[in-house]
Amino acid sequence: MPVAPPRRDQSPTAATDDLAIARDVLATEAAALNALAATLGEGFTAAVTTLADIAGRVVVTGMGKSGHVARKIAATLASTGTPALFVHPAEASHGDLGMIVPGDAVIALSNSGEAAELAAIVSHVRRFALPLVAITSRAESTLARAADLVLLLPAAPEAGPIGMAPTTSTTMQMALGDAIAVALLARRGFTAADFGLFHPGGKLGARLRRVRDLMHEGEVVPLAGPDTRMDQAILLITAKHFGCLGIIDGERRLLGVVTDGDLRRAMAPDLLTREVGRIMTTSPRVIGPERLAEEALHDMTALTPRVMSLFVVDESRRVLGIVHMHDLLRAGVA
């Protein structure tokens, strides 16, 4: 018969011990990150400059836990405007060295700097005179001696009671990779709009869509001239279902808007016979077609007064369309 695993201690003492261990792990890793930040200097700047100046891609490699971190660093670089890929060092000598070509640069991760599997990649890099950036904790290691630039991890204990599992070291590697990616992003002037090009899916992709992608155009846009009577304006507001009416001149430039709030403020016996130009709000909130959908949602909900729709206008305030909060919510912006 199979032996049942021992029951886990669920006592209050065990729970207290769990929390103490967790807090110690986080404190250990946080201290290491602070130490790492303090060590950064000209070497980091030189590494970023080298990676920014290459014509090809940044190839990131590492073995074991360092390999998992390397995959993430390559993905972060690629998503922030730096062409990058991961090459597994054990596969490199079985054909994947062909993925590393002139014009590329290599970031190699190894805490000890002695991962034997990196030898083929290091030799390949030297053969083609490609820049090699090492991330390691040992300045005298084989990897560090072979590298053009070394980003040295400060001495720090691995977290936990046995202090052996890669924890603190991989956290520092991950954070240093993020620092490199963001520094490169800043050098390239990479914007949120650029970021959206690489993240078209999911909630992030929705937030980074443009207003022009979500706005309504043509006959459905509620528009009228300034001499339109309020009885006709109310019918238009009801028929178009946006809760407002844009007032435009002969060139389709937005002069103002009429909303439910304007109707309430102008309520009087002669309301239905008055012209919309006399009661409209003359400085309505608008948005440009190239603004992000997330910015449209912010302008609707975070500014006062809150609104449900924004007219989309060009630089001359000509109306191009209208975007409603429901359009943003359906697209997953919120």
Side-chain angles (χ1 to χ4, degrees):
M1 293 180 62
V3 178
R7 293 185 61 185
R8 185 175 180 272
D9 187 356
Q10 298 291 335
S11 68
T13 300
T16 301
D17 290 345
D18 291 343
L19 291 175
I21 290 171
R23 288 169 179 148
D24 178 69
V25 168
L26 297 178
T28 300
E29 296 190 358
L33 291 178
N34 286 329
L36 175 60
T39 66
L40 297 183
E42 294 181 0
F44 179 82
T45 303
V48 172
T49 299
T50 297
L51 298 174
D53 289 345
I54 62 171
R57 304 147 310 165
V58 177
V59 178
V60 193
T61 188
M63 193 67 194
K65 302 301 185 292
S66 293
H68 294 306
V69 175
R71 286 183 185 275
K72 190 272 179 185
I73 293 174
T76 300
L77 287 166
S79 72
T80 53
T82 299
L85 72 155
F86 170 78
V87 172
H88 196 293
E91 299 291 340
S93 59
H94 295 275
D96 283 4
L97 283 176
M99 300 170 69
I100 309 172
V101 299
D104 292 345
V106 174
I107 300 176
L109 284 71
S110 173
N111 188 42
S112 68
E114 300 297 342
E117 294 86 353
L118 290 173
I121 290 180
V122 171
S123 296
H124 184 76
V125 165
R126 295 275 67 84
R127 184 179 306 115
F128 290 97
L130 306 183
L132 175 60
V133 178
I135 297 178
T136 180
S137 63
R138 294 179 55 196
E140 299 303 319
S141 64
T142 301
L143 176 62
R145 291 197 305 271
D148 299 294
L149 295 162
V150 179
L151 298 179
L152 198 63
L153 304 177
E158 301 288 11
I162 64 173
M164 296 178 67
T167 49
T168 306
S169 58
T170 50
T171 296
M172 288 193 290
Q173 290 175 343
M174 186 85 73
L176 192 52
D178 288 343
I180 292 170
V182 174
L184 288 168
L185 173 156
R187 285 212 187 189
R188 290 188 166 90
F190 196 78
T191 66
D194 297 322
F195 194 69
L197 296 176
F198 298 110
H199 298 78
K203 182 173 288 293
L204 181 57
R207 290 170 57 193
L208 294 173
R209 292 179 70 181
R210 304 285 186 171
V211 169
R212 58 175 157 74
D213 298 325
L214 300 175
M215 70 182 186
H216 300 267
E217 302 175 82
E219 293 299 318
V220 300
V221 182
L223 299 173
D227 57 351
T228 303
R229 283 180 21 146
M230 282 304 304
D231 55 352
Q232 292 299 314
I234 291 173
L235 293 176
L236 283 170
I237 292 173
T238 302
K240 300 289 186 174
H241 305 294
F242 287 98
C244 63
L245 182 67
I247 311 306
I248 56 173
D249 65 12
E251 300 297 324
R252 203 180 170 88
R253 287 187 292 263
L254 189 67
L255 304 174
V257 299
V258 176
T259 66
D260 292 339
D262 295 313
L263 294 179
R264 288 192 297 270
R265 286 187 291 272
M267 191 63 65
D270 65 341
L271 172 63
L272 296 182
T273 60
R274 296 176 68 184
E275 295 180 344
V276 293
R278 298 178 59 191
I279 71 166
M280 68 183 181
T281 297
T282 57
S283 55
R285 197 177 305 153
V286 297
I287 194 164
E290 298 304 315
R291 295 274 299 279
L292 297 177
E294 182 181 32
E295 294 176 306
L297 185 62
H298 171 273
D299 289 358
M300 289 180 186
T301 60
L303 303 181
T304 303
R306 295 183 177 181
V307 297
M308 293 292 292
S309 297
L310 291 173
F311 282 97
V312 184
V313 301
D314 64 14
E315 294 179 354
S316 300
R317 291 184 70 84
R318 283 192 294 268
V319 175
L320 304 175
I322 188 171
V323 63
H324 194 278
M325 185 180 293
H326 290 167
D327 302 319
L328 304 177
L329 296 179
R330 279 193 294 268
V333 177

